[in-house]
Amino acid sequence: MPGPISAKRIRESDMCFSDSFHRDTPTAKGGSILVPEAVDAKSKAFLISEVADNYDSPILPGLPDDVSKHCLALVPRSYFPAMGAVSKQWRSFIKSKEFITVRKLAGLLEEWLYVLTVDAEGKESHWEVLDCFGHKHRELVPMPGPVKTGFGVVVLNGKLMVIAGYSVNDETACVSSDVYQYDSCLNSWRKLASMNVARYEFGCAEVNGMIYAVGGCGMDGESLSSVEVYDPDADKWTMIESLRRPRWGCFASGVGGKLYVMGGRSSFTIGNSRFVDVYSPETHTWCQMKNGCVMVTAHAVLGEKLCCMEWKNQRRLAIYNPTDNSWKMVPVPVTGSSSIGFRFGILDGKLLLFSAQEDPGYHTLLYDPNAAPGSEWQTSEIKPSGLCLCCVTIEA
C-alpha cells in the first residue's frame, strides 16, 4: 500500500460522496435498468419483461423509427427514467447522443442544475436536481464506491462524470483512478475505463468532446505533471504531453477550443502560481501565460469567458476574456455575513453564486453579464437544501 497521504490539501470545503449504493434492477442479459420508485411491483415486472423481450421490435409499432424517435424526444425530461424502462430500444435511444441532438433541433432542451450538497455538520452529502425555477426534481441514485474527496467533475454529452479522488477506508488512505458516469436521462450510474494515473486535487475539463485531467497529487502525495485525455467513443484514457512543472490544487476550463489550467501550486513549499498553462488540442502543445488567478475557490465558464473568485478577495469577481488575454474585475454586492464564500453555477447564460457556508439570511446572487449597467446583480430563489460543494449544468 502507498504511504499515508498528507492532510495538507484535504480541506473542510472539499467535495465528498456518501458511500451508500443501491443497485439497479438486473435485466435478462446482466445489464441494469432503473425502475422509478413510484411504479408498483406488477408494473415493474411488466416493464422489466418489456426490456428483456422487445429488443427487435419497432420503437413504436406502426411508425418508422425516425418518426418514433422524434415522438420520444417530445416527452418532458422528468419522464425519461420511466421511459428507459419500457424497452431496450427506448433505453438505448435515450442514452444516445442522437436523443440530445433531436431534442436540441426541436428546441426542447431543458437546463437543470445538479448540485452536490452537504448538511450543516458536513457529514452527509448528496446530489440534488433543480430546474430554472429552483424546483427540486429528485436526488440522484447514490454513486457506487467509498466516500471521496478531491475528485474531478465534468459534464460530457449530457452526462455527469466523476473522476478519481481520495478516500480513506478502514483508516487506510487510497487514491483512486476510477471514473463513474451518471446518465441524467435515466438516473443511473455506470463505471467507465479507469485513468492511467490515480490522482486527486487535479484539474479537469471538457474540450471539443474530450475530457482532460491535469496534474494533481499521486499515490504517495507527490505533485504530478502528467496529463491524460479521455475519448468517450473509445472509452479510453491516453497520456499526452505533460505540464512543464508539477501542479496540484489547480483547476481547468475549456474555453474557445483550448484547455486553460490555473491556480494551485507546483510544490509544497513554493507559493501559489500565477502561471496559466494553455493546451491546444489542434497542435498538441502547451504554452504559458503569466497573469492568472491564484488560490481560486470557485470558477465557471460563462459564455466564452472564465469567471473566477480568489480566496483573498471574495468580494470581487474576476472575469477572463481569452480573445484579448484581459481580466475584468466586478465587485460582488455584500449580502449576509461578510465571511461567506461562494460556489458557482450557470443557468440560462447567467452566473449563480451559492453560499459555501451556513447562513439562513443569505440569498443566492445572480450575475447577468448582458444586463443594463447597474442591473447586473439580482437575487435568485434558486437555493440548494444544504451547503453547495459544487454545481454543474446539464442540458437534456
Side-chain angles (χ1 to χ4, degrees), residues 19-342:
D19 59 358
S20 60
F21 174 52
H22 306 290
R23 295 191 177 276
D24 296 344
T25 306
T27 67
K29 294 188 178 182
S32 64
I33 64 172
L34 176 70
V35 179
E37 293 299 324
V39 180
D40 60 34
K42 181 182 290 187
S43 298
K44 284 183 180 180
F46 172 75
L47 291 176
I48 295 168
S49 174
E50 287 291 292
V51 172
D53 296 337
N54 286 356
Y55 185 76
D56 297 322
S57 302
I59 295 178
L60 290 174
L63 291 176
D65 279 355
D66 57 345
V67 176
S68 298
K69 290 177 178 179
H70 185 76
C71 291
L72 293 185
L74 298 177
V75 177
R77 181 173 177 174
S78 57
Y79 292 98
F80 292 170
M83 290 166 59
V86 172
S87 71
K88 285 189 175 180
Q89 295 96 321
W90 285 33
R91 183 174 178 84
S92 177
F93 177 52
I94 292 170
K95 290 170 60 177
S96 69
K97 293 181 184 178
E98 184 185 5
F99 181 66
I100 302 297
T101 301
V102 174
R103 282 182 59 81
K104 182 177 181 179
L105 292 174
L108 296 173
L109 287 182
E110 301 174 45
E111 283 188 336
W112 283 4
L113 292 173
Y114 288 71
V115 185
L116 180 59
T117 67
V118 66
D119 58 27
E121 291 75 28
K123 296 180 180 179
E124 295 293 331
S125 63
H126 66 271
W127 287 91
E128 59 187 35
V129 185
L130 307 174
D131 63 19
C132 60
F133 302 104
H135 299 149
K136 183 177 176 180
H137 283 263
R138 59 171 177 260
E139 293 183 7
L140 271 61
V141 177
M143 190 187 79
V147 173
K148 287 184 178 181
T149 189
F151 53 85
V153 176
V154 179
V155 173
L156 179 66
N157 298 325
K159 297 177 175 60
L160 172 66
M161 313 280 285
V162 177
I163 305 169
Y166 167 96
S167 63
V168 177
N169 293 320
D170 299 325
E171 300 184 354
T172 301
C174 180
V175 180
S176 174
S177 62
D178 292 344
V179 180
Y180 294 96
Q181 180 191 78
Y182 173 77
D183 190 317
S184 63
C185 295
L186 298 174
N187 195 26
S188 62
W189 291 94
R190 73 185 184 103
K191 193 174 185 298
L192 302 180
S194 297
M195 303 176 72
N196 293 289
V197 178
R199 63 184 82 209
Y200 68 103
E201 291 285 355
F202 59 98
C204 62
E206 179 271 335
V207 183
N208 300 335
M210 309 284 271
I211 294 177
Y212 293 82
V214 182
C217 301
M219 296 291 290
D220 296 313
E222 74 279 15
S223 296
L224 300 175
S225 60
S226 62
V227 182
E228 49 190 308
V229 60
Y230 177 74
D231 181 347
D233 294 329
D235 187 26
K236 181 180 180 181
W237 289 90
T238 303
M239 304 300 296
I240 61 174
E241 182 181 350
S242 297
L243 296 169
R244 296 182 183 180
R245 59 177 63 85
R247 196 161 193 163
W248 63 269
C250 57
F251 74 93
S253 295
V255 183
K258 293 183 179 181
L259 177 70
Y260 290 79
V261 183
M262 204 176 299
R265 292 188 175 189
S266 295
S267 72
F268 308 136
T269 57
I270 301 176
N272 295 276
S273 175
R274 282 198 174 276
F275 282 96
V276 182
D277 288 303
V278 184
Y279 181 76
S280 171
E282 292 184 355
T283 61
H284 308 286
T285 57
W286 287 96
C287 67
Q288 280 192 336
M289 302 184 300
K290 295 184 179 181
N291 64 339
C293 284
V294 301
M295 299 181 70
V296 175
T297 59
H299 70 280
V301 176
L302 187 61
E304 289 297 317
K305 297 180 181 179
L306 176 60
C307 299
C308 301
M309 188 159 287
E310 295 180 287
W311 175 76
K312 289 186 177 181
N313 194 346
Q314 299 201 34
R315 287 294 175 259
R316 285 199 312 170
L317 185 64
I319 303 178
Y320 175 69
N321 187 345
T323 58
D324 58 5
N325 189 28
S326 65
W327 288 91
K328 174 184 178 182
M329 299 299 173
V330 178
V332 177
V334 177
T335 60
S337 171
S338 60
S339 65
I340 283 180
F342 299 103

